[in-house]
Amino acid sequence: MGSNLRSTPLELAQKYMDIVFTSTDFDQLREILAPKMVFQGPLYNFVTAEDYIESLFKNPPEKFNYSMIKSYMDATSACLIYRFAKPGISTVMVQYFEVENGKISRIMLTFDTANFL
């Protein structure tokens, strides 16, 4: 991927999506996540990148399809709005990424959990 300092917040967010949802090589996340990255979601919360990465190894995300509805960024953040779909579930998800020093420092994931419970 080259130097993360030259990657835009949107490029980092897309790299994250590629690693988490189409790869399973979660070790690659260490290249783009700040060590003290905070993940906030409706089902899980983490306060370090290592805890988050370990959780992915222990409980990998199920394979699914997603189609991007809208993505945008500013100098220090990116936001992805997409339709998540797998058998029996289709819902809109929003993921907001904050970037500091060329690495993702915060991820906030928002979606309606009713379909997942």
Side-chain angles (χ1 to χ4, degrees), residues 10-71:
L10 197 54
E11 289 168 337
L12 288 169
Q14 188 57 58
K15 177 74 173 173
Y16 165 89
M17 295 293 283
D18 292 344
I19 293 168
V20 172
F21 298 115
T22 61
S23 169
T24 48
D25 187 5
F26 304 128
D27 286 320
Q28 290 181 16
L29 289 171
R30 290 182 179 90
E31 297 173 21
I32 63 169
L33 298 180
K36 295 186 184 222
M37 185 272 309
V38 172
F39 178 92
Q40 297 170 291
L43 302 175
Y44 302 100
N45 291 283
F46 301 95
V47 293
T48 69
E50 202 55 44
D51 286 348
Y52 178 67
I53 293 166
E54 283 300 311
S55 77
L56 292 172
F57 277 116
K58 289 178 185 170
N59 189 20
E62 296 179 42
K63 294 301 176 199
F64 67 88
N65 295 314
Y66 75 91
S67 56
M68 198 62 63
I69 296 170
K70 179 75 176 165
S71 61

